[in-house]
């Protein structure tokens, strides 16, 4: 009988301690419909009051336009757009986040926020200050992606959703899924960033976004005032403060050195001086720290394999001589990418390439003597590059159209 | 009064530690099976006496006969109309009695009875009765009795000839492949069906009578020298302890011989398929066949056994393993799906993938009720449909499913009374429940599903976890005839796991289930 009594007591307990009251250890019951399922959070410095923080949230507007009342409250009108973009300000991020509740019709639910976007100004000031709640808050996802907005605030970027043409979180998802194609970009999760920020010797890079006018190429002029979001390489940080942005070649170099290249296109020229596009199919980089007495130098050993994706001449390039030429050019291009990346890092004295980490893992004992002086050593380290370049194959068609044997050789 | 009608040579000392003590309240029972007048036992077996007991019945016939037309050799033929085959009585009993001249050679009744007993009246199944009650029982069970007043003896001939249902195809345990016969309401037909499948002379079919008024025959089926003797004794003991008026519905036997009365889960397995019944008997279980019920019972029942469908052994073992394991998955699905849905939709929203959440929100928009009310209401509506479907005549059943399920469901969704996602959840839950091979088991799951859904309403996954722990606890406390309900999952050695969640190839089923403690453990070399 005891067991049934126990089961009964458990049941009664659970009924008494139901989730309706304020003071209960049980989770509170909330209907999914009553929640504002925000998908992106933007964090900026307040434009009016530099001490304050402005938080912007974006969520998809529900069908019935239930967000109308909310729009009035914030004085912003959604013009047929499919998204709700609301901002609030406070001394801290958490204060600003709570303030939403004072005028938002629905309860803000942070669990689906997949993107944390930080404005450039805020990033230049101090990343830690803006990031702490995001990493500490138990309702937030640690696998959310972090972005920095170049030349704009996060609010401006998220506000693009309001026009209805683009829904920023959805667009970011699509853009991220194709980062591998060019390898000039990367993805960074909050948890990864938190780990990297704790690393005393390395610095962080965060993928950057830019609001751009729609590319006028191929567009009529009156259409070109539409805006779009572009992936814009990396934002480079030093001591958790934004100091520079890496452009395309630099970002590609960073990706090569940190072994993040999945694919990409390298344009080279064949013997008739016409373009050949090489599509990277495999890239692998090793960083080998070398010691000459106390002086440390780094050998970057990259292996790149590619396919011929496109060629503009009508000659046969699939012979040893031609291919060797292509390979040399490819090696040179990759080397140049990496050099620019190293240059960027060394000029700013930010170890964004994880060199310290490599040295620590390969030579833990020697690292002990180095680590104290790392900030002084790093800008002057000599980097050597070795690129093993190979052009592997092409696809079903070897010779271009109009190809005549013997021509051009 | 009714002894076991077989020379079962089992040690009758049951290992009491092996079985839970039950029926404490009932205590030792008196053995009278029908309410009799005090003097009835002592009545002499005569026509007069029988007439005083049965004479008022309009379907009982007494017919005086002169054997070989000899007035001195009188006997009375007694039978119940409708229970006997009249042609057999005419041809095989009356005809020899009247025509066989040898019968009148011996002028005494004593000699005559001997002649009849030794075959002058040519009928295979006859018994000589000296006690009046035995004689009455035989007659009521479809025998014709020849009563010899002066000798106080009766010879009863088994000439049953009542109407019985033909062996048709199974209705609830259908198979595509495999035997298609089924148990019927007649005990003798069923025992014959079993004999045809298990021809070993060691097969024991021993009978007892249960029910003071109905006096229903119940047969215990097992294999001597294979089945655990303690199990057989326990079954017999529990049958003896049943003191009820009638045994006309499955509950009359299930509730009285089950170990625990506080559980919804079946502790004996009912089946209508002789092939399944027999294979369980051969595995070392004990079977029960009840006259008048087209289902047979197998004891002990375990979850593993209740989850087996007869077709599992008809198909390729890989296919069967897939089907069997998905059946286990569906058991969990039907139990927990509404609970999980309520939990994640009202407490743990972050567990739903974002896009799914958005579509759930879109569907839920405008529905006035909270999710848990929607789910509970739909679960209840599903119960209504089930019950209505059972009650309705088959011909209207179709209309119910169309009006009830299709039109009503569609209208409820269109009118925004329930959200489509809840309809989907409840429909999947219900359909998953139908895959359970055992009806009683799936009924129990239905109720537990409701309990778990309510707990989930209160505390989300926390409540769901409490619910499932209580259920697990409950499972662990259950025993069926000394066998843990969760066996063989609760055994650590894993010896009997070849036929559980996966059905391994038959050549690996070398031994009979460990938990049955059978006398002969090995079933194949």
């Amino acid at each position: 009988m005891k067991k049934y009594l126990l089961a009964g007591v458990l049941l009664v307990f659970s009924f008494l301690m139901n989730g309706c009251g304020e003071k209960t250890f049980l989770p509170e019951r909330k209907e999914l419909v009553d929640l504002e399922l925000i998908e992106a959070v933007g964090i900026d410095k307040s434009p009016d009051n530099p001490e304050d923080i402005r938080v912007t949230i974006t969520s998809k507007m529900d069908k019935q336009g239930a967000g109308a009342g909310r729009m009035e409250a914030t004085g912003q009108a959604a013009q047929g757009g499919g998204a709700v973009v609301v901002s609030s300000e406070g001394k801290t991020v958490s204060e600003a986040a709570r303030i939403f509740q004072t005028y938002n019709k629905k309860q803000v639910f942070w669990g689906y926020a997949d993107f944390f976007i930080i404005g450039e100004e805020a990033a230049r000031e101090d990343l830690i200050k803006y990031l702490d709640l995001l990493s500490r808050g138990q309702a937030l996802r640690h696998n959310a992606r972090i972005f920095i907005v170049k030349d704009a605030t996060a609010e401006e970027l998220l506000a693009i959703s309001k026009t209805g043409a683009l829904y920023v979180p959805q667009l970011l998802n699509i853009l991220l899924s194709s980062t591998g194609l060019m390898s000039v970009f990367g993805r960074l999760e909050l948890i990864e960033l938190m780990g990297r920020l704790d690393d005393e010797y390395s610095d962080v890079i965060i993928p950057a976004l830019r609001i751009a006018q729609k590319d006028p190429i191929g567009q009529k002029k009156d259409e070109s005032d539409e805006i779009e979001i572009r992936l814009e390489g990396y934002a480079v940080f030093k001591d958790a403060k934004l100091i520079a942005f890496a452009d395309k070649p630099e970002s590609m170099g960073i990706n090569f050195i940190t072994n993040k290249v999945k694919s990409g296109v390298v344009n080279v020229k064949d013997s008739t001086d016409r373009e050949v596009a090489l599509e990277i199919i495999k890239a692998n980089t090793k960083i080998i720290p070398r010691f000459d007495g106390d002086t440390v130098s780094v050998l970057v050993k990259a292996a790149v394999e590619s396919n011929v994706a496109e060629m503009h001449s009508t000659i046969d390039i699939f012979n040893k001589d031609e291919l060797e030429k292509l390979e040399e050019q490819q090696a040179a291009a990759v080397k140049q990418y990496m050099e620019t990346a190293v240059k960027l890092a060394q000029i700013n004295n930010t170890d964004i390439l994880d060199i310290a980490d490599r040295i620590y893992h390969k030579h833990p004992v020697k690292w002990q003597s180095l680590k104290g002086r790392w900030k002084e050593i790093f800008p002057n380290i000599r980097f050597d590059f070795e690129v093993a370049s190979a052009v592997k194959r092409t696809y079903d068609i070897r010779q271009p159209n109009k190809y005549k044997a013997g021509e051009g050789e | 009064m009714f002894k076991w009608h077989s020379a079962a040579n089992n040690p009758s000392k049951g290992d009491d530690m092996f079985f839970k003590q039950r029926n404490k309240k009932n205590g030792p029972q008196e053995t009278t099976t029908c309410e009799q007048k005090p003097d009835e036992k002592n009545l002499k077996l005569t026509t007069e006496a029988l007439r005083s007991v049965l004479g008022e019945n309009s379907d009982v016939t007494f017919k005086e006969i002169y054997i070989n037309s000899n007035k001195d050799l009188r006997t009375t033929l007694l039978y119940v109309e409708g229970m006997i085959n009249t042609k057999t009585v005419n041809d095989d009993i009356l005809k020899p009695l009247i025509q066989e001249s040898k019968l009148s050679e011996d002028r005494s009744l004593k000699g005559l009875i001997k002649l009849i007993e030794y075959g002058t009246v040519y009928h295979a199944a006859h018994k000589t009765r000296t006690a009046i009650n035995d004689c009455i029982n035989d007659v009521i069970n479809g025998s014709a009795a020849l009563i010899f007043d002066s000798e106080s003896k009766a010879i009863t001939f088994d000439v049953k000839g009542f109407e019985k249902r033909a062996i048709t195809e199974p209705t609830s345990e259908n198979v595509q492949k495999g035997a298609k016969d089924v148990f019927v309401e007649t005990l003798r037909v069923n025992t014959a069906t079993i004999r045809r499948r298990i021809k070993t002379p060691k097969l024991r079919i021993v009978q007892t009578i249960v029910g003071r008024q109905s006096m229903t025959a119940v047969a215990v089926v097992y294999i001597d020298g294979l089945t655990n003797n303690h199990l057989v004794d326990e079954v017999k003991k529990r049958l003896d302890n049943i003191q009820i008026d009638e045994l006309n519905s499955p509950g009359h036997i299930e509730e009285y011989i089950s170990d625990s009365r506080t559980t919804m889960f079946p502790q004996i397995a009912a089946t209508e398929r002789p092939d399944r019944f027999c294979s369980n008997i051969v595995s070392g279980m004990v079977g029960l066949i009840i006259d008048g019920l087209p289902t047979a019972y197998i004891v002990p029942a375990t979850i593993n056994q209740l989850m087996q469908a007869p077709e599992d052994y008809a198909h390729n073992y890989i296919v069967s393993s897939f089907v069997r394991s998905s059946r286990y998955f569906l058991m969990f699905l039907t139990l927990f799906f509404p609970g999980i849905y309520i939990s994640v939709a009202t407490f743990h929203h972050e567990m739903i993938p974002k896009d799914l959440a958005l579509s759930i929100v879109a569907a839920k928009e405008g529905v006035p009720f909270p999710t848990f009310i929607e789910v509970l209401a739909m679960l209840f509506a599903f119960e209504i449909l089930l019950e209505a479907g059972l009650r309705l005549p088959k011909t209207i059943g179709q209309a119910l499913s169309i009006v009830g399920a299709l039109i009503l469901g569609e209208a409820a969704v269109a009118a925004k009374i329930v959200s489509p996602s809840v309809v989907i959840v409840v429909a999947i839950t219900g359909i998953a429940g139908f895959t359970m091979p055992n009806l009683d088991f799936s009924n129990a799951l239905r109720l537990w599903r409701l309990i778990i859904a309510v707990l989930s309403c209160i505390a989300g996954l926390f409540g769901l976890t409490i619910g499932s722990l209580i259920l697990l606890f409950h499972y662990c406390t259950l025993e069926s005839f000394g066998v843990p309900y969760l066996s063989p999952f609760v055994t650590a050695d894993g010896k009997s796991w070849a036929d559980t969640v996966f059905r391994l190839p038959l050549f690996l089923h070398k031994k009979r289930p460990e938990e049955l403690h059978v006398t002969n453990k090995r079933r194949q070399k």
Side-chain angles (χ1 to χ4, degrees):
Chain A
M1 208 51 221
K2 256 184 192 169
K3 51 197 178 186
Y4 297 108
L5 208 66
L6 181 71
V9 167
L10 274 175
L11 258 171
V12 169
F13 261 66
S14 13
F15 269 102
L16 289 177
M17 302 172 189
N18 58 43
C20 305
E22 287 272 308
K23 284 171 189 168
T24 167
F25 72 95
L26 290 173
E28 200 182 335
R29 181 161 51 225
K30 291 173 197 158
E31 285 296 326
L32 208 47
V33 219
D34 301 332
L35 298 177
E36 191 77 73
L37 305 178
I38 58 168
E39 293 185 62
V41 182
I43 298 177
D44 292 304
K45 222 169 165 170
S46 164
D48 315 319
N49 187 354
E51 289 293 297
D52 281 5
I53 296 170
R54 171 170 280 209
V55 176
T56 311
I57 53 174
T58 310
S59 69
K60 233 180 203 152
M61 196 182 303
D62 37 45
K63 272 187 200 159
Q64 261 80 23
R70 198 169 35 210
M71 289 291 113
E72 282 164 20
T74 54
Q76 294 161 328
Q79 301 180 346
V84 177
V85 182
V86 204
S87 301
S88 76
E89 283 184 15
K91 282 260 174 275
T92 56
V93 179
S94 24
E95 192 194 358
R98 296 277 162 127
I99 284 173
F100 284 120
Q101 236 57 81
T102 60
Y103 55 80
N104 218 34
K105 232 183 186 178
K106 290 181 171 185
Q107 204 169 352
V108 176
F109 181 72
W110 302 85
Y112 287 121
D114 274 345
F115 301 103
F116 296 146
I117 297 159
I118 297 167
E120 183 177 341
E121 225 175 301
R124 283 197 191 276
E125 190 200 340
D126 185 9
L127 192 60
I128 305 289
K129 171 179 161 187
Y130 297 94
L131 212 61
D132 188 69
L133 177 78
L134 301 186
S135 43
R136 195 183 298 274
Q138 44 89 23
L140 291 152
R141 285 182 181 234
H142 276 176
N143 64 347
R145 314 251 186 238
I146 300 270
F147 293 103
I148 303 292
V149 191
K150 192 178 175 182
D151 299 331
T153 63
E155 190 186 8
E156 283 164 1
L157 183 110
L158 292 175
I160 296 173
S161 305
K162 278 201 283 190
T163 62
L166 293 172
Y167 181 56
V168 176
Q170 200 175 2
L171 179 74
L172 288 179
N173 255 331
I174 295 165
L175 291 181
L176 273 181
S177 66
S178 51
T179 48
L181 288 182
M182 283 300 283
S183 293
V184 290
F185 196 71
R187 40 175 94 195
L188 183 68
E189 292 186 353
L190 178 61
I191 186 101
E192 217 179 319
L193 178 65
M194 283 156 61
R196 288 186 61 108
L197 279 171
D198 285 342
D199 190 335
E200 205 181 320
Y201 305 101
S202 302
D203 286 296
V204 295
I205 45 172
I206 300 180
L209 299 169
R210 186 164 67 91
I211 306 170
Q213 296 295 311
K214 209 159 215 172
D215 216 331
I217 302 165
Q219 302 251 346
K220 285 175 197 164
K221 278 207 169 161
D222 53 332
E223 278 175 13
S224 66
D225 57 309
E226 272 182 42
I227 41 177
E228 61 185 14
I229 297 172
R230 296 239 187 113
L231 304 175
E232 199 70 21
Y234 288 108
V236 178
F237 282 75
K238 186 179 182 178
D239 298 332
K241 290 183 180 65
L242 175 67
I243 51 161
F245 284 97
D247 61 10
K248 265 188 192 171
E250 285 163 346
S251 303
M252 192 133 178
I254 291 171
N255 281 344
F256 264 114
I257 295 176
T258 51
N259 213 357
K260 279 182 188 154
V261 171
K262 278 185 187 143
S263 182
V265 175
V266 178
N267 292 329
V268 292
K269 290 200 158 70
D270 64 14
S271 54
T272 59
D273 209 25
R274 304 192 69 169
E275 297 291 337
V276 175
L278 299 177
E279 175 201 20
I280 298 169
I281 49 170
K282 210 177 193 182
N284 190 21
T285 317
K286 276 181 187 161
I287 293 174
I288 303 163
R290 293 191 294 200
F291 284 89
D292 182 15
D294 257 2
T295 344
V296 62
S297 68
V298 175
L299 171 68
V300 181
K301 224 175 173 178
V304 182
E305 282 178 18
S306 58
N307 283 347
V308 174
E310 184 184 341
M311 54 185 291
H312 291 174
S313 63
T314 54
I315 61 163
D316 181 14
I317 57 167
F318 296 98
N319 53 59
K320 204 182 165 194
D321 293 346
E322 280 291 337
L323 287 178
E324 263 174 17
K325 270 180 216 162
L326 298 182
E327 283 166 359
E328 270 167 34
Q329 291 176 60
Q330 177 173 257
V334 170
K335 194 176 165 187
Q336 206 196 335
Y337 286 141
M338 295 197 288
E339 276 170 353
T340 53
V342 168
K343 204 172 151 193
L344 176 77
Q346 286 188 324
I347 285 176
N348 293 310
N349 192 9
T350 54
D351 182 9
I352 51 177
L353 304 170
D354 265 353
I355 306 296
D357 195 48
R358 292 303 154 101
I359 297 177
Y360 166 66
H361 280 106
K362 291 242 163 137
H363 304 279
V365 180
K366 283 180 178 161
W367 171 248
Q368 295 304 322
S369 64
L370 274 182
K371 67 177 185 185
R373 307 177 278 131
W374 181 244
K375 289 282 167 195
E376 297 135 45
I377 297 171
F378 179 71
N380 306 314
I381 291 178
R382 187 165 61 87
F383 279 82
D384 300 309
F385 300 95
E386 255 177 39
V387 182
S389 164
V391 177
K392 280 282 167 182
R393 58 189 171 110
T394 182
Y395 298 101
D396 293 343
I397 295 169
R398 278 171 69 101
Q399 275 83 28
N401 291 336
K402 289 227 171 193
Y403 162 74
K404 286 186 187 102
E407 195 178 291
E409 276 179 24
Chain B
M1 165 176 179
F2 291 102
K3 290 276 158 51
W4 289 93
H5 305 167
S6 164
N9 55 347
N10 289 306
S12 52
K13 286 173 246 160
D15 185 358
D16 284 342
M17 294 303 287
F18 189 62
F19 300 102
K20 280 188 182 172
Q21 281 304 145
R22 57 185 303 286
N23 279 344
K24 276 178 200 155
K25 275 184 203 163
N26 297 350
Q29 300 287 338
E30 33 154 356
T31 48
T32 44
T33 316
C34 51
E35 286 166 28
Q36 293 156 332
K37 290 173 204 163
D39 57 337
E40 200 173 286
K41 275 186 190 172
N42 307 322
L43 280 178
K44 270 185 134 188
L45 177 51
T46 58
T47 313
E48 258 338 284
L50 284 167
R51 216 184 272 276
S52 71
V53 179
L54 297 171
E56 286 170 29
N57 296 308
S58 49
D59 60 341
V60 176
T61 304
F62 289 88
K63 186 183 164 109
E64 203 169 349
I65 297 165
Y66 296 156
I67 295 169
N68 253 339
S69 309
N70 187 336
K71 276 183 193 171
D72 299 332
L73 298 175
R74 285 185 198 179
T75 180
T76 311
L77 178 69
L78 167 64
Y79 60 88
V80 181
E81 276 174 50
M83 293 286 284
I84 59 154
N85 185 337
T86 328
K87 191 172 185 303
T88 318
V89 175
N90 290 344
D91 290 358
D92 301 345
I93 300 171
L94 289 181
K95 210 171 175 183
L97 277 180
I98 311 296
Q99 294 185 350
E100 196 66 65
S101 55
K102 276 193 182 126
L103 283 171
S104 56
E105 277 174 13
D106 198 326
R107 311 288 290 182
S108 73
L109 267 176
K110 225 176 219 166
L112 184 83
I113 292 170
K114 210 146 225 159
L115 279 175
I116 295 174
E117 279 175 349
Y118 288 97
T120 315
V121 171
Y122 24 91
H123 194 274
H126 63 74
K127 288 169 187 158
T128 308
R129 297 297 193 187
T130 48
I132 186 164
N133 277 321
D134 292 344
C135 177
I136 292 172
N137 272 318
D138 285 354
V139 170
I140 284 173
N141 279 311
S143 292
L146 286 177
I147 304 150
F148 302 96
D149 284 348
S150 53
E151 293 293 320
S152 282
K153 262 188 186 172
I155 298 175
T156 58
F157 299 88
D158 190 357
V159 286
K160 282 193 194 78
F162 47 83
E163 289 304 317
K164 49 197 164 199
R165 191 163 65 92
I167 297 179
T168 50
E169 285 200 12
T171 48
S172 56
E173 291 172 83
N174 282 316
V175 289
Q176 285 174 299
K177 202 174 160 191
K180 295 221 193 308
D181 55 349
V182 70
F183 283 124
V184 293
E185 282 83 353
T186 322
L187 179 73
R188 255 318 141 250
V189 176
N190 292 346
T191 52
T193 315
I194 292 159
R195 279 271 182 218
R196 276 178 51 219
R197 283 170 190 277
I198 308 174
K199 296 200 177 92
T200 167
K202 293 199 163 179
L203 176 74
R204 298 280 179 269
I205 300 178
V206 290
Q207 236 168 280
T208 187
I209 303 284
V210 176
R212 292 184 219 192
Q213 307 300 339
S214 70
M215 296 171 74
T216 313
V218 176
V220 177
V221 184
Y222 60 96
I223 296 177
D224 193 27
L226 187 156
T227 318
N228 180 0
N229 290 331
H230 297 313
L231 181 61
V232 176
D233 290 343
E234 180 68 16
V235 174
K236 287 178 179 173
K237 199 173 103 195
R238 288 190 192 181
L239 283 176
D240 281 341
N241 281 337
I242 300 178
Q243 295 297 322
I244 51 173
D245 267 356
E246 50 155 357
L247 175 45
N248 280 325
S249 118
H252 289 139
I253 194 104
E254 287 170 18
E255 283 182 28
Y256 284 95
I257 70 165
S258 294
D259 289 69
S260 165
R261 283 170 185 161
T262 48
T263 181
M264 307 171 199
F265 291 96
Q267 294 159 81
I268 59 176
T271 180
E272 57 168 5
R273 299 184 55 84
D275 55 345
R276 186 173 181 200
F277 183 85
C278 290
S279 73
N280 279 310
I281 297 296
V282 173
S283 296
M285 294 175 188
V286 175
L288 286 177
I289 308 171
I290 296 133
D291 195 28
L293 290 182
T295 42
Y297 290 98
I298 302 155
V299 292
T302 59
I303 281 201
N304 182 35
Q305 189 205 358
L306 295 171
M307 292 295 284
Q308 291 171 356
E311 221 168 19
D312 288 354
Y313 306 95
H315 295 304
N316 176 291
Y317 72 95
I318 301 174
V319 177
S320 297
S321 295
F322 169 71
V323 173
R324 179 86 67 80
S325 52
S326 51
R327 201 178 295 137
Y328 273 89
F329 168 74
L330 291 172
M331 173 175 77
F332 286 107
L333 192 74
T334 191
L335 253 181
F336 295 118
F337 199 29
I340 289 174
Y341 179 77
I342 293 171
S343 300
V344 297
T346 54
F347 291 97
H348 320 281
H349 311 98
E350 62 280 351
M351 285 181 69
I352 316 175
K354 186 170 67 188
D355 294 335
L356 181 62
L358 289 175
S359 62
I360 289 176
V361 170
K364 178 92 166 70
E365 204 69 59
V367 176
F369 303 110
T371 307
F372 75 93
I373 294 207
E374 273 184 87
V375 175
L376 294 183
M378 284 303 291
L379 282 177
F380 191 65
F382 186 73
E383 298 295 314
I384 296 174
L385 279 179
L386 269 186
E387 188 61 20
L390 269 179
R391 296 286 149 268
L392 273 178
K394 270 179 197 164
T395 39
I396 320 179
Q398 292 278 330
L400 176 88
S401 61
I402 292 168
V403 175
L406 290 176
I407 299 180
L408 205 66
E410 182 69 35
V413 168
K416 295 237 169 253
I417 288 169
V418 288
S419 71
S421 39
V422 170
V423 176
I424 294 170
V425 167
V426 173
I428 290 178
T429 308
I431 294 168
F434 290 140
T435 60
M436 296 299 108
N438 188 291
L439 182 72
D440 298 316
F441 189 64
S442 102
N443 287 347
L445 288 181
R446 257 164 65 198
L447 266 166
W448 269 96
R449 167 209 298 166
L450 218 60
I451 294 173
I452 285 171
V454 168
L455 286 172
S456 305
C457 298
I458 296 164
L461 285 183
F462 178 63
L464 189 132
T465 315
I466 288 183
S468 37
L469 282 178
I470 294 175
L471 177 60
L472 184 67
F473 180 79
H474 179 61
Y475 273 150
C476 290
T477 57
L478 285 182
E479 252 182 31
S480 172
F481 288 83
V483 175
Y485 203 50
L486 280 181
S487 54
F489 301 112
V490 283
T491 56
D493 54 9
K495 276 180 192 161
S496 314
W497 281 57
D499 192 16
T500 52
V501 180
F502 298 103
R503 207 268 292 161
L504 298 189
L506 288 172
F507 72 85
L508 287 175
H509 301 202
K510 296 246 191 276
K511 289 187 173 172
R512 299 199 165 82
E514 190 83 2
E515 64 271 14
L516 294 173
H517 299 284
V518 286
T519 323
N520 180 355
K521 289 194 170 140
R522 191 163 271 277
R523 68 170 127 199
Q524 57 179 319
K525 275 190 180 172

